[in-house]
Amino acid sequence: MTTSTDTPMVELKGVKKHFGDLEVLKGIDLRVDRGRIISIIGPSGSGKSTLLRSINHLEVIDGGNILLDGMPVNRPDLKGLAFERHINHIRQNMGMVFQHFNLFPHMSTLDNVTLAPRRLKRMQSTDARKLGMELLERVGLADKAKAYPSSLSGGQKQRVAIARALAMQPKVMLFDEATSALDPELVEEVNRVMKGLAEEHMTMLIVTHEMAFARDVSDWTMFMDEGVVVEANTPDRLFSDPDHERTRHFLRKHLGSQG
Amino acid sequence: MEFDFSPVIEYFPTLVQGVGVTLLIGLAVAVMSIVGGQIVAVISLYTRRVVSWPLRFFIWLFMTTPLLLQLYFLYFGLGELILIPAIVVGILGLGFHYMAYNADIFVATIRSVSDGQYEASRSLGFGHIRTLIYIILPQAFYRALPQLSNNMIIMVKDISVLSAIGIGELVYVSQYAISVTFRPFEFYITIAVIYYLINLMMEAGQSWIERRAAYRR
């Protein structure tokens, strides 16, 4: 694996994706350097979630290239089990957080967090437990280690989901509208955890509807619409003085409602 | 008509033996039909048609023909070709029969586990098979429990059908006792009560398991 510091952590080159006749991604380029935080904003159906899911290969792209730390995610040359092994390895280096949390309901929160290190890294159960407790501590839920997801609030579930994604010590974290399904009063606790990660220089890609949060936390903001990156800039510039009318229109609608 | 339960008391050890055989067969059939049902469900959902279609045909066959006919077929039909002990035929016959019903339940509950669960597991780096084993099947199993335990309660009563091929379960041994003592009423009442008690125990077990499983769904 490449570890040279000038290799971008995530790189997209001309990424294309369509669902049937609908072109969802029309050639996306993106470079995310180590420790950078990129937020992706845009209206529903703009392709931002599809873009994030493509990086994790939950969507299979139709054209272009995606590289994780120099390694290609898509490997059309590999078939069957060889590709399974490849993609499992790639995914172990990425943490993904979903809008609907997707915690495993049949396991305690601690088991949710430690499942991957125990089964994929063959970590001893005492070590896994220690790691799991540290991560739950970090998201402020050490006291819920034995609880089952059904007894947690949405915000707590999402914090456990973040701890679970961190357990494999990923190189990059992907957040797919992590707070969109939460009641407004629960958004802040999840945002706080994400800010904590930002302060530790975790490389992050954040698809979000929270404009204030995107502006606050990210180094770079991309505005997507209809499968293209309309513009990308520092958040200060993009939010206060966007170049494009489409961006202005979108921000007027969203910032207007959020104050 | 006067009731006289003394023959029942006299033959009680025989009845206990019959209960033992019934419960042992029940346990064997439960294990076979639940484990087998999951395997059949997974194969019919996740493999190519050359594999899954014959299996679906097999399920369909067992679900559309009477249990008694299946037992006669296995015991007297296949018995022409190879000699299989009645108890083995009984367990296999009931096992396949309920495997088909259980597989049907598992197919539905496996499908009911959301795609998000599959994606979350894959995104952690688990492969397809490990995702099935760690994530999908346990959840499908918990969801299947209510219907599964209903099936198993019905199954225990169906074990009485095995008396037709001479297996010494509860009904069979009481038939024998009746033929010697000529007290059918007393014996039928007694075994009805025994079945009722077995059912009561199973229902208690069912609600205990479901209480434990409820928060995991």
Side-chain angles (χ1 to χ4, degrees):
Chain A
M1 185 174 291
T2 338
T3 44
S4 144
T5 42
D6 46 348
T7 312
M9 192 54 95
V10 178
E11 193 171 16
L12 277 70
K13 294 175 188 164
V15 169
K16 287 184 179 162
K17 170 75 187 171
H18 59 81
F19 294 120
D21 289 338
L22 186 70
E23 259 191 286
V24 196
L25 301 175
K26 301 171 182 166
I28 306 283
D29 297 303
L30 170 67
R31 182 191 160 107
V32 186
D33 286 321
R34 220 160 287 268
R36 302 276 278 179
I37 296 151
I38 313 289
S39 55
I40 307 170
I41 59 170
S44 305
S46 59
K48 55 193 195 305
S49 273
T50 306
L51 182 72
L52 204 69
R53 290 166 56 79
S54 300
I55 298 173
N56 202 270
H57 203 261
L58 291 173
E59 304 291 349
V60 184
I61 58 173
D62 304 311
N65 272 314
I66 299 174
L67 302 169
L68 172 72
D69 202 7
M71 296 181 299
V73 172
N74 291 73
R75 289 283 300 272
D77 54 316
L78 295 179
K79 300 273 177 255
L81 271 180
F83 182 74
E84 273 278 300
R85 262 197 297 276
H86 160 75
I87 198 63
N88 290 344
H89 175 68
I90 292 276
R91 281 169 170 159
Q92 286 170 30
N93 288 294
M94 289 190 223
M96 178 114 184
V97 176
F98 299 87
Q99 182 180 356
H100 295 289
F101 333 125
N102 298 340
L103 287 185
F104 307 133
H106 58 302
M107 296 178 187
S108 69
T109 56
L110 183 64
D111 287 342
N112 263 277
V113 176
T114 59
L115 180 75
R118 274 186 290 127
R119 300 294 187 180
L120 293 170
K121 287 187 173 168
R122 296 176 193 284
M123 192 181 276
Q124 292 295 314
S125 58
T126 45
D127 295 341
R129 203 190 141 74
K130 192 162 160 274
L131 171 72
M133 289 308 295
E134 277 169 19
L135 288 167
L136 286 176
E137 189 86 50
R138 190 157 152 196
V139 299
L141 289 169
D143 57 325
K144 297 283 184 191
K146 285 182 180 159
Y148 280 77
S150 59
S151 69
L152 303 181
S153 73
Q156 291 173 330
K157 282 182 193 171
Q158 195 60 296
R159 282 146 66 197
V160 174
I162 293 172
R164 177 177 71 178
L166 289 171
M168 290 297 282
Q169 281 147 339
K171 297 177 169 199
V172 55
M173 287 285 283
L174 310 174
F175 292 89
D176 187 8
E177 301 194 16
T179 55
S180 298
L182 296 176
D183 292 335
E185 71 269 23
L186 301 176
V187 168
E188 189 45 39
E189 58 185 82
V190 174
N191 283 349
R192 238 190 338 262
V193 169
M194 290 169 68
K195 264 182 213 163
L197 288 176
E199 280 156 16
E200 294 165 33
H201 304 290
M202 171 63 82
T203 312
M204 300 201 269
L205 265 157
I206 303 169
V207 166
T208 185
H209 283 134
E210 300 275 323
M211 299 306 142
F213 180 68
R215 185 171 189 166
D216 184 25
V217 81
S218 51
D219 306 311
W220 194 253
T221 302
M222 259 168 67
F223 171 67
M224 279 183 73
D225 194 14
E226 293 178 353
V228 295
V229 179
V230 177
E231 66 177 294
N233 216 324
T234 61
D236 275 342
R237 178 74 199 281
L238 190 123
F239 283 104
S240 56
D241 184 21
D243 293 334
H244 290 259
E245 178 49 40
R246 269 152 93 185
T247 318
R248 263 194 291 276
H249 179 73
F250 173 79
L251 290 175
R252 253 200 313 277
K253 257 170 71 182
H254 282 263
L255 293 177
S257 61
Q258 291 188 355
Chain B
M1 183 185 164
E2 279 187 19
F3 285 116
D4 175 11
F5 277 91
S6 61
V8 174
I9 293 163
E10 189 189 335
Y11 278 89
F12 203 71
T14 314
L15 293 186
V16 169
Q17 207 182 352
V19 169
V21 172
T22 294
L23 292 181
L24 270 179
I25 292 173
L27 192 68
V29 172
V31 171
M32 176 179 165
S33 66
I34 291 172
V35 174
Q38 291 204 60
I39 295 170
V40 169
V42 167
I43 293 173
S44 68
L45 280 173
Y46 295 107
T47 57
R48 289 162 197 278
R49 285 179 183 175
V50 262
V51 184
S52 66
W53 281 31
L55 209 65
R56 276 164 193 253
F57 176 72
F58 161 89
I59 291 180
W60 174 83
L61 209 62
F62 273 92
M63 291 178 91
T64 52
T65 55
L67 175 62
L68 189 60
L69 182 70
Q70 293 162 18
L71 289 173
Y72 282 157
F73 178 80
L74 286 174
Y75 191 56
F76 299 114
L78 287 185
E80 299 262 303
L81 304 172
I82 33 166
L83 199 65
I84 315 168
I87 185 108
V88 176
V89 170
I91 290 171
L92 287 180
L94 264 182
F96 281 128
H97 189 82
Y98 279 92
M99 194 187 286
Y101 281 103
N102 290 348
D104 229 33
I105 297 172
F106 284 125
V107 165
T109 58
I110 288 170
R111 281 196 181 131
S112 78
V113 177
S114 74
D115 293 343
Q117 291 289 313
Y118 185 80
E119 289 185 349
S121 171
R122 294 305 306 263
S123 78
L124 286 170
F126 286 105
H128 177 68
I129 290 170
R130 294 225 254 182
T131 296
L132 269 182
I133 293 171
Y134 299 139
I135 307 302
I136 310 293
L137 291 182
Q139 291 184 54
F141 185 79
Y142 287 125
R143 289 179 192 196
L145 274 174
Q147 292 183 73
L148 215 54
S149 40
N150 280 344
N151 273 3
M152 294 302 96
I153 285 170
I154 299 169
M155 178 269 285
V156 167
K157 289 182 285 185
D158 268 353
I159 294 171
S160 61
V161 177
L162 302 188
S163 62
I165 56 169
I167 292 172
E169 49 67 61
L170 187 53
V171 170
Y172 185 85
V173 295
S174 52
Q175 296 282 45
Y176 164 76
I178 290 163
S179 69
V180 181
T181 60
F182 301 105
R183 310 293 321 186
F185 262 123
E186 288 84 345
F187 275 99
Y188 287 143
I189 289 169
T190 308
I191 63 167
V193 170
I194 292 174
Y195 270 113
Y196 172 75
L197 291 175
I198 293 175
N199 248 289
L200 217 59
M201 273 170 13
M202 290 189 71
E203 274 170 30
Q206 176 183 14
S207 60
W208 182 79
I209 290 170
E210 278 177 32
R211 261 200 316 278
R212 284 183 57 97
Y215 60 91
R216 294 166 186 247
R217 281 202 278 269

